[in-house]
Amino acid sequence: MLRRIGRGVFALAASRAGTLVVANLAMTALGVTAGVISARALGPAGRGDLAVLLYWPSFVYSVVDCAVMEIATLRVAQRPEGLRAHLKGGLAAALLFSIVGLAVGYLALPLLLRPEQGPLLADARWFLAYVPVALLAFVPQGALLGLQMFRSVAALRLSTSALYLAGVVAVAVTGHASASTFAWLAVASLAAQLPIGLALLAGRLAHAERGGPLELAGRIKDGVNLQGARIANVLGANVDRALASLTLSQTNIGLYQVPVMISQVFPVLPQALAELLFSQLAAANEGERAALTRTAYVRALMLSTLVAVSAASTLWFVVPLLYGASFGAAVAPATIVAFGGVVNGGALVLKSASRAAMCVRPCVEAEAVGISTTAALGPWLAARYGLVGLAWSYAAGRAVCAAWMVARVPRDVSGGWRGLTPLSSAFRGEVALALRLLGARLFAAPGNAG
């Protein structure tokens, strides 16, 4: 059994697409480890300060990034010989968007921070450096994706994540831990992506044509067009964090980083299924699309349910063990967020199916109703039930978002909403098929494995 599992994992890691999946999982593990170490070094209140210092700059980046990485990927994939011009154009666009982000962030931070968070304002403004650093760093990564250099992308992501973890460990061991220090480490590790990414592209750059149009206006136009759907996804993923920053004490903000970590880890596997589905639907005929979507959707729900049940049975001792006894209050909200991740996993797959049908409106609508639900319930529930109330508002928002996607995903890629509910025989048939396949894998004779 262990040998078959090992062979399967090795085969996945060896494939080009699988390399990215494994790299993303490893990055998540490194990020969680760094989060645990920083939380133990800072305590709940200090972890809350770190969350505030990094959250708002990263949020500003997400709003103004205008798909610089995706545009680089598309341009390089379409005309790889123009790599040099594509990089220059991407970096120029990133600088322009950075100026906008820095101005918006500098003016908005005094309005976003609560009065008791006033002492953090000066540092938070310095950490707006995150905006240009992130925008510039992701341009080479987009170029690598456009060239289908997936192993180089994996190496880039893993190396910078490992650098951050090493810095966190060094700071914690030497006793120099502070929210400001950890925040600068995050910015520095992200900045390292730019030179490493350019170094990985050096061989291709040497053979790329010189000169060529930067197409800056076209890049900005395409980026702005893509940004609407991206902003909806960013807001949906961050609304509970924003409410935590605006409504909770610094200690509770620090505690809520455990549920936040859960909400960030959960989408890794459903997102992989969503990306796979997108590529399948692009090549599938009309008769195959509904079955492909339903299969991916049901398996995302099953995987997410398995992870949620595992989390519910282990978080009560894992969280205090990793983070310390002072984080025990984060167990209940983290468990609620874990079960909210079940429906969120299904929604990710349906959004991918909708985008494959070139229909982005349902995705934006779903996030709008989900965000509105969390925003409406969050302050009220947080005021009455604290962390648990905020977690329930997150779960409610994700459930409403998922229900909207079930109802609104285009019929030509879903077969209709009834087939996406447990009441349908098609849904139950997908569950039974997945269980049979799992049983066949687990109990296959050694000679038939693989």
PDB file of all heavy atoms in Angstrom, residues 72-87 143 146-148 201 204-205 207-209:
ATOM      1  N   ALA A  72       1.203  38.735 -18.781  1.00  0.00           N
ATOM      2  CA  ALA A  72       2.525  38.273 -19.198  1.00  0.00           C
ATOM      3  C   ALA A  72       2.463  36.847 -19.719  1.00  0.00           C
ATOM      4  O   ALA A  72       3.086  36.506 -20.730  1.00  0.00           O
ATOM      5  CB  ALA A  72       3.512  38.377 -18.033  1.00  0.00           C
ATOM      6  N   THR A  73       1.691  36.001 -19.050  1.00  0.00           N
ATOM      7  CA  THR A  73       1.546  34.615 -19.488  1.00  0.00           C
ATOM      8  C   THR A  73       0.941  34.544 -20.890  1.00  0.00           C
ATOM      9  O   THR A  73       1.441  33.823 -21.769  1.00  0.00           O
ATOM     10  CB  THR A  73       0.661  33.831 -18.499  1.00  0.00           C
ATOM     11  OG1 THR A  73       1.274  33.840 -17.206  1.00  0.00           O
ATOM     12  CG2 THR A  73       0.468  32.394 -18.954  1.00  0.00           C
ATOM     13  N   LEU A  74      -0.142  35.294 -21.109  1.00  0.00           N
ATOM     14  CA  LEU A  74      -0.821  35.253 -22.401  1.00  0.00           C
ATOM     15  C   LEU A  74       0.080  35.774 -23.519  1.00  0.00           C
ATOM     16  O   LEU A  74       0.180  35.159 -24.585  1.00  0.00           O
ATOM     17  CB  LEU A  74      -2.108  36.085 -22.335  1.00  0.00           C
ATOM     18  CG  LEU A  74      -3.246  35.502 -21.477  1.00  0.00           C
ATOM     19  CD1 LEU A  74      -4.385  36.511 -21.375  1.00  0.00           C
ATOM     20  CD2 LEU A  74      -3.750  34.197 -22.058  1.00  0.00           C
ATOM     21  N   ARG A  75       0.745  36.923 -23.291  1.00  0.00           N
ATOM     22  CA  ARG A  75       1.574  37.518 -24.341  1.00  0.00           C
ATOM     23  C   ARG A  75       2.757  36.609 -24.696  1.00  0.00           C
ATOM     24  O   ARG A  75       3.084  36.423 -25.867  1.00  0.00           O
ATOM     25  CB  ARG A  75       2.072  38.894 -23.896  1.00  0.00           C
ATOM     26  CG  ARG A  75       0.970  39.915 -23.672  1.00  0.00           C
ATOM     27  CD  ARG A  75       0.266  40.259 -24.979  1.00  0.00           C
ATOM     28  NE  ARG A  75      -0.878  41.133 -24.780  1.00  0.00           N
ATOM     29  CZ  ARG A  75      -0.840  42.458 -24.823  1.00  0.00           C
ATOM     30  NH1 ARG A  75       0.314  43.067 -25.057  1.00  0.00           N
ATOM     31  NH2 ARG A  75      -1.929  43.168 -24.639  1.00  0.00           N
ATOM     32  N   VAL A  76       3.415  36.066 -23.682  1.00  0.00           N
ATOM     33  CA  VAL A  76       4.576  35.210 -23.942  1.00  0.00           C
ATOM     34  C   VAL A  76       4.152  33.919 -24.623  1.00  0.00           C
ATOM     35  O   VAL A  76       4.843  33.430 -25.533  1.00  0.00           O
ATOM     36  CB  VAL A  76       5.333  34.921 -22.632  1.00  0.00           C
ATOM     37  CG1 VAL A  76       6.417  33.876 -22.852  1.00  0.00           C
ATOM     38  CG2 VAL A  76       5.949  36.207 -22.077  1.00  0.00           C
ATOM     39  N   ALA A  77       3.027  33.343 -24.214  1.00  0.00           N
ATOM     40  CA  ALA A  77       2.549  32.113 -24.843  1.00  0.00           C
ATOM     41  C   ALA A  77       2.215  32.340 -26.305  1.00  0.00           C
ATOM     42  O   ALA A  77       2.461  31.474 -27.158  1.00  0.00           O
ATOM     43  CB  ALA A  77       1.327  31.581 -24.092  1.00  0.00           C
ATOM     44  N   GLN A  78       1.654  33.515 -26.623  1.00  0.00           N
ATOM     45  CA  GLN A  78       1.269  33.807 -28.009  1.00  0.00           C
ATOM     46  C   GLN A  78       2.479  34.104 -28.898  1.00  0.00           C
ATOM     47  O   GLN A  78       2.479  33.777 -30.081  1.00  0.00           O
ATOM     48  CB  GLN A  78       0.296  34.991 -28.031  1.00  0.00           C
ATOM     49  CG  GLN A  78      -1.061  34.667 -27.419  1.00  0.00           C
ATOM     50  CD  GLN A  78      -1.882  35.911 -27.118  1.00  0.00           C
ATOM     51  OE1 GLN A  78      -1.420  37.039 -27.322  1.00  0.00           O
ATOM     52  NE2 GLN A  78      -3.094  35.715 -26.639  1.00  0.00           N
ATOM     53  N   ARG A  79       3.507  34.761 -28.330  1.00  0.00           N
ATOM     54  CA  ARG A  79       4.676  35.115 -29.146  1.00  0.00           C
ATOM     55  C   ARG A  79       5.929  35.010 -28.290  1.00  0.00           C
ATOM     56  O   ARG A  79       6.470  36.006 -27.826  1.00  0.00           O
ATOM     57  CB  ARG A  79       4.514  36.535 -29.707  1.00  0.00           C
ATOM     58  CG  ARG A  79       5.328  36.793 -30.967  1.00  0.00           C
ATOM     59  CD  ARG A  79       4.995  38.145 -31.569  1.00  0.00           C
ATOM     60  NE  ARG A  79       5.485  39.243 -30.761  1.00  0.00           N
ATOM     61  CZ  ARG A  79       6.718  39.756 -30.844  1.00  0.00           C
ATOM     62  NH1 ARG A  79       7.589  39.233 -31.699  1.00  0.00           N
ATOM     63  NH2 ARG A  79       7.069  40.762 -30.087  1.00  0.00           N
ATOM     64  N   PRO A  80       6.431  33.788 -28.051  1.00  0.00           N
ATOM     65  CA  PRO A  80       7.572  33.597 -27.155  1.00  0.00           C
ATOM     66  C   PRO A  80       8.848  34.271 -27.623  1.00  0.00           C
ATOM     67  O   PRO A  80       9.695  34.624 -26.800  1.00  0.00           O
ATOM     68  CB  PRO A  80       7.731  32.074 -27.090  1.00  0.00           C
ATOM     69  CG  PRO A  80       7.013  31.549 -28.281  1.00  0.00           C
ATOM     70  CD  PRO A  80       5.901  32.503 -28.541  1.00  0.00           C
ATOM     71  N   GLU A  81       8.991  34.475 -28.940  1.00  0.00           N
ATOM     72  CA  GLU A  81      10.215  35.124 -29.422  1.00  0.00           C
ATOM     73  C   GLU A  81      10.291  36.589 -28.992  1.00  0.00           C
ATOM     74  O   GLU A  81      11.365  37.184 -28.991  1.00  0.00           O
ATOM     75  CB  GLU A  81      10.299  35.016 -30.945  1.00  0.00           C
ATOM     76  CG  GLU A  81       9.231  35.780 -31.707  1.00  0.00           C
ATOM     77  CD  GLU A  81       7.950  34.967 -31.887  1.00  0.00           C
ATOM     78  OE1 GLU A  81       7.823  33.916 -31.219  1.00  0.00           O
ATOM     79  OE2 GLU A  81       7.106  35.374 -32.707  1.00  0.00           O
ATOM     80  N   GLY A  82       9.163  37.165 -28.595  1.00  0.00           N
ATOM     81  CA  GLY A  82       9.162  38.548 -28.104  1.00  0.00           C
ATOM     82  C   GLY A  82       9.301  38.646 -26.600  1.00  0.00           C
ATOM     83  O   GLY A  82       8.862  39.640 -25.998  1.00  0.00           O
ATOM     84  N   LEU A  83       9.914  37.629 -25.981  1.00  0.00           N
ATOM     85  CA  LEU A  83      10.033  37.568 -24.526  1.00  0.00           C
ATOM     86  C   LEU A  83      10.617  38.841 -23.930  1.00  0.00           C
ATOM     87  O   LEU A  83      10.117  39.363 -22.919  1.00  0.00           O
ATOM     88  CB  LEU A  83      10.890  36.363 -24.132  1.00  0.00           C
ATOM     89  CG  LEU A  83      11.216  36.205 -22.646  1.00  0.00           C
ATOM     90  CD1 LEU A  83       9.963  36.053 -21.815  1.00  0.00           C
ATOM     91  CD2 LEU A  83      12.159  35.016 -22.434  1.00  0.00           C
ATOM     92  N   ARG A  84      11.666  39.373 -24.556  1.00  0.00           N
ATOM     93  CA  ARG A  84      12.338  40.549 -24.003  1.00  0.00           C
ATOM     94  C   ARG A  84      11.367  41.751 -23.948  1.00  0.00           C
ATOM     95  O   ARG A  84      11.271  42.433 -22.938  1.00  0.00           O
ATOM     96  CB  ARG A  84      13.570  40.883 -24.850  1.00  0.00           C
ATOM     97  CG  ARG A  84      14.501  41.918 -24.242  1.00  0.00           C
ATOM     98  CD  ARG A  84      15.665  42.177 -25.210  1.00  0.00           C
ATOM     99  NE  ARG A  84      16.426  40.956 -25.466  1.00  0.00           N
ATOM    100  CZ  ARG A  84      17.444  40.562 -24.707  1.00  0.00           C
ATOM    101  NH1 ARG A  84      17.820  41.285 -23.676  1.00  0.00           N
ATOM    102  NH2 ARG A  84      18.098  39.446 -25.013  1.00  0.00           N
ATOM    103  N   ALA A  85      10.649  41.985 -25.042  1.00  0.00           N
ATOM    104  CA  ALA A  85       9.696  43.094 -25.080  1.00  0.00           C
ATOM    105  C   ALA A  85       8.533  42.856 -24.113  1.00  0.00           C
ATOM    106  O   ALA A  85       8.048  43.797 -23.464  1.00  0.00           O
ATOM    107  CB  ALA A  85       9.166  43.294 -26.500  1.00  0.00           C
ATOM    108  N   HIS A  86       8.091  41.601 -24.010  1.00  0.00           N
ATOM    109  CA  HIS A  86       6.991  41.291 -23.094  1.00  0.00           C
ATOM    110  C   HIS A  86       7.387  41.575 -21.648  1.00  0.00           C
ATOM    111  O   HIS A  86       6.589  42.093 -20.861  1.00  0.00           O
ATOM    112  CB  HIS A  86       6.585  39.825 -23.246  1.00  0.00           C
ATOM    113  CG  HIS A  86       6.023  39.483 -24.580  1.00  0.00           C
ATOM    114  ND1 HIS A  86       5.194  40.322 -25.290  1.00  0.00           N
ATOM    115  CD2 HIS A  86       6.186  38.369 -25.365  1.00  0.00           C
ATOM    116  CE1 HIS A  86       4.852  39.758 -26.434  1.00  0.00           C
ATOM    117  NE2 HIS A  86       5.446  38.569 -26.509  1.00  0.00           N
ATOM    118  N   LEU A  87       8.612  41.220 -21.297  1.00  0.00           N
ATOM    119  CA  LEU A  87       9.077  41.483 -19.930  1.00  0.00           C
ATOM    120  C   LEU A  87       9.161  42.978 -19.669  1.00  0.00           C
ATOM    121  O   LEU A  87       8.709  43.464 -18.619  1.00  0.00           O
ATOM    122  CB  LEU A  87      10.449  40.838 -19.706  1.00  0.00           C
ATOM    123  CG  LEU A  87      10.470  39.369 -19.280  1.00  0.00           C
ATOM    124  CD1 LEU A  87      11.908  38.889 -19.172  1.00  0.00           C
ATOM    125  CD2 LEU A  87       9.745  39.172 -17.958  1.00  0.00           C
ATOM    126  N   ALA A 143       5.861  35.138 -17.192  1.00  0.00           N
ATOM    127  CA  ALA A 143       6.595  34.764 -18.399  1.00  0.00           C
ATOM    128  C   ALA A 143       6.996  33.292 -18.371  1.00  0.00           C
ATOM    129  O   ALA A 143       6.912  32.585 -19.388  1.00  0.00           O
ATOM    130  CB  ALA A 143       7.829  35.648 -18.548  1.00  0.00           C
ATOM    131  N   GLY A 146       4.031  31.310 -19.273  1.00  0.00           N
ATOM    132  CA  GLY A 146       3.760  31.406 -20.697  1.00  0.00           C
ATOM    133  C   GLY A 146       4.668  30.511 -21.522  1.00  0.00           C
ATOM    134  O   GLY A 146       4.259  29.981 -22.563  1.00  0.00           O
ATOM    135  N   LEU A 147       5.900  30.318 -21.075  1.00  0.00           N
ATOM    136  CA  LEU A 147       6.852  29.426 -21.753  1.00  0.00           C
ATOM    137  C   LEU A 147       6.670  27.963 -21.344  1.00  0.00           C
ATOM    138  O   LEU A 147       7.421  27.099 -21.796  1.00  0.00           O
ATOM    139  CB  LEU A 147       8.283  29.871 -21.437  1.00  0.00           C
ATOM    140  CG  LEU A 147       8.701  31.231 -22.003  1.00  0.00           C
ATOM    141  CD1 LEU A 147      10.037  31.671 -21.406  1.00  0.00           C
ATOM    142  CD2 LEU A 147       8.790  31.184 -23.528  1.00  0.00           C
ATOM    143  N   GLN A 148       5.702  27.711 -20.450  1.00  0.00           N
ATOM    144  CA  GLN A 148       5.424  26.370 -19.933  1.00  0.00           C
ATOM    145  C   GLN A 148       6.632  25.771 -19.221  1.00  0.00           C
ATOM    146  O   GLN A 148       6.861  24.562 -19.254  1.00  0.00           O
ATOM    147  CB  GLN A 148       4.933  25.448 -21.045  1.00  0.00           C
ATOM    148  CG  GLN A 148       3.651  25.932 -21.695  1.00  0.00           C
ATOM    149  CD  GLN A 148       3.045  24.923 -22.642  1.00  0.00           C
ATOM    150  OE1 GLN A 148       3.047  23.724 -22.381  1.00  0.00           O
ATOM    151  NE2 GLN A 148       2.521  25.405 -23.752  1.00  0.00           N
ATOM    152  N   LEU A 201      14.986  32.877 -16.497  1.00  0.00           N
ATOM    153  CA  LEU A 201      14.647  33.225 -17.876  1.00  0.00           C
ATOM    154  C   LEU A 201      15.876  33.568 -18.718  1.00  0.00           C
ATOM    155  O   LEU A 201      15.744  33.816 -19.926  1.00  0.00           O
ATOM    156  CB  LEU A 201      13.691  34.425 -17.896  1.00  0.00           C
ATOM    157  CG  LEU A 201      12.251  34.172 -17.445  1.00  0.00           C
ATOM    158  CD1 LEU A 201      11.521  35.490 -17.223  1.00  0.00           C
ATOM    159  CD2 LEU A 201      11.507  33.328 -18.477  1.00  0.00           C
ATOM    160  N   ARG A 204      16.456  31.793 -22.122  1.00  0.00           N
ATOM    161  CA  ARG A 204      15.491  32.152 -23.158  1.00  0.00           C
ATOM    162  C   ARG A 204      15.693  33.602 -23.609  1.00  0.00           C
ATOM    163  O   ARG A 204      15.506  33.917 -24.782  1.00  0.00           O
ATOM    164  CB  ARG A 204      14.075  31.961 -22.627  1.00  0.00           C
ATOM    165  CG  ARG A 204      13.728  30.530 -22.268  1.00  0.00           C
ATOM    166  CD  ARG A 204      13.755  29.614 -23.483  1.00  0.00           C
ATOM    167  NE  ARG A 204      13.307  28.277 -23.195  1.00  0.00           N
ATOM    168  CZ  ARG A 204      12.073  27.841 -23.409  1.00  0.00           C
ATOM    169  NH1 ARG A 204      11.176  28.654 -23.944  1.00  0.00           N
ATOM    170  NH2 ARG A 204      11.732  26.607 -23.121  1.00  0.00           N
ATOM    171  N   LEU A 205      16.057  34.489 -22.676  1.00  0.00           N
ATOM    172  CA  LEU A 205      16.278  35.889 -23.033  1.00  0.00           C
ATOM    173  C   LEU A 205      17.442  36.038 -24.001  1.00  0.00           C
ATOM    174  O   LEU A 205      17.435  36.908 -24.878  1.00  0.00           O
ATOM    175  CB  LEU A 205      16.542  36.715 -21.773  1.00  0.00           C
ATOM    176  CG  LEU A 205      15.317  37.078 -20.921  1.00  0.00           C
ATOM    177  CD1 LEU A 205      15.742  37.670 -19.584  1.00  0.00           C
ATOM    178  CD2 LEU A 205      14.416  38.051 -21.663  1.00  0.00           C
ATOM    179  N   HIS A 207      18.196  34.263 -26.430  1.00  0.00           N
ATOM    180  CA  HIS A 207      17.799  33.928 -27.804  1.00  0.00           C
ATOM    181  C   HIS A 207      16.565  34.699 -28.254  1.00  0.00           C
ATOM    182  O   HIS A 207      16.085  34.485 -29.379  1.00  0.00           O
ATOM    183  CB  HIS A 207      17.531  32.427 -27.922  1.00  0.00           C
ATOM    184  CG  HIS A 207      18.732  31.579 -27.639  1.00  0.00           C
ATOM    185  ND1 HIS A 207      18.999  31.071 -26.384  1.00  0.00           N
ATOM    186  CD2 HIS A 207      19.760  31.173 -28.429  1.00  0.00           C
ATOM    187  CE1 HIS A 207      20.130  30.372 -26.426  1.00  0.00           C
ATOM    188  NE2 HIS A 207      20.606  30.420 -27.654  1.00  0.00           N
ATOM    189  N   ALA A 208      16.025  35.567 -27.387  1.00  0.00           N
ATOM    190  CA  ALA A 208      14.833  36.335 -27.751  1.00  0.00           C
ATOM    191  C   ALA A 208      15.218  37.495 -28.657  1.00  0.00           C
ATOM    192  O   ALA A 208      16.336  38.013 -28.596  1.00  0.00           O
ATOM    193  CB  ALA A 208      14.142  36.850 -26.493  1.00  0.00           C
ATOM    194  N   GLU A 209      14.273  37.907 -29.484  1.00  0.00           N
ATOM    195  CA  GLU A 209      14.537  39.024 -30.379  1.00  0.00           C
ATOM    196  C   GLU A 209      14.674  40.319 -29.588  1.00  0.00           C
ATOM    197  O   GLU A 209      14.037  40.509 -28.549  1.00  0.00           O
ATOM    198  CB  GLU A 209      13.408  39.155 -31.398  1.00  0.00           C
ATOM    199  CG  GLU A 209      12.057  39.547 -30.804  1.00  0.00           C
ATOM    200  CD  GLU A 209      10.958  39.626 -31.839  1.00  0.00           C
ATOM    201  OE1 GLU A 209      11.070  38.953 -32.882  1.00  0.00           O
ATOM    202  OE2 GLU A 209       9.966  40.354 -31.601  1.00  0.00           O
TER     203      GLU A 209
END
